[in-house]
Amino acid sequence: SEDKITKDDIKKALETLKDLGTGCYLKGEYVISVPVEMNNDAMELINIAEKYGYVTCPLMFAKFNWDEQRFERAMNELISEGLVWVDDQTGGPPHYYFASMWRN
C-alpha cells in the first residue's frame, strides 16, 4: 500500500530545507518557494493576492495607500522572476496573478 503524505510530513521537510537556506516555507495551505529574497512590498502583494485571488494597483492604493510607482516597481520585479502573470484584458486596471495561487 502507498503511504500518504501528511501536512506534518511537509512541515518536517520544510523545516529540514530551511536549514539549507532554500527559501521554502508554508503559508496557510501553500508551500512557498522563493527564488529571490522577498521584501516587505512583495510580501504585502502576496498577502493581498492570497485574500482576493489577484492584485491591482487600485487595490493596493485602497489597502496600503501605495502610489503607482511603488506598485509598478514591486510588480516588475516579481514579473521578471516569473512569479506573476498579468491580465490586461479585464476592462479595467490590469489584474496580477501569482501562478502558485491559481484556484479552480
Side-chain angles (χ1 to χ4, degrees):
S1 79
E2 278 188 41
D3 292 333
K4 293 204 178 227
I5 298 173
T6 67
K7 284 185 182 180
D8 285 337
D9 294 331
I10 293 170
K11 287 178 185 178
K12 288 176 188 173
L14 291 174
E15 281 298 315
T16 302
L17 290 173
K18 184 174 79 172
D19 295 338
L20 299 175
T22 63
C24 292
Y25 62 95
L26 195 61
K27 179 160 178 58
E29 295 286 318
Y30 303 103
V31 174
I32 306 293
S33 174
V34 183
V36 295
E37 186 171 331
M38 293 288 193
N39 58 31
N40 288 336
D41 285 354
M43 293 308 295
E44 285 182 356
L45 289 164
I46 289 170
N47 288 333
I48 292 298
E50 185 175 48
K51 183 174 182 177
Y52 294 97
Y54 62 89
V55 179
T56 65
C57 186
L59 184 57
M60 293 306 288
F61 177 78
K63 295 291 182 186
F64 300 108
N65 202 32
W66 280 23
D67 62 26
E68 186 174 350
Q69 183 179 9
R70 181 176 180 182
F71 179 81
E72 293 292 329
R73 183 175 54 248
M75 290 309 302
N76 286 337
E77 183 175 330
L78 296 171
I79 291 167
S80 72
E81 292 295 330
L83 300 174
V84 175
W85 174 73
V86 183
D87 179 4
D88 60 3
Q89 299 178 6
T90 64
H95 286 56
Y96 298 81
Y97 297 90
F98 288 79
S100 63
M101 294 183 191
W102 281 347
R103 300 179 181 148
N104 294 334

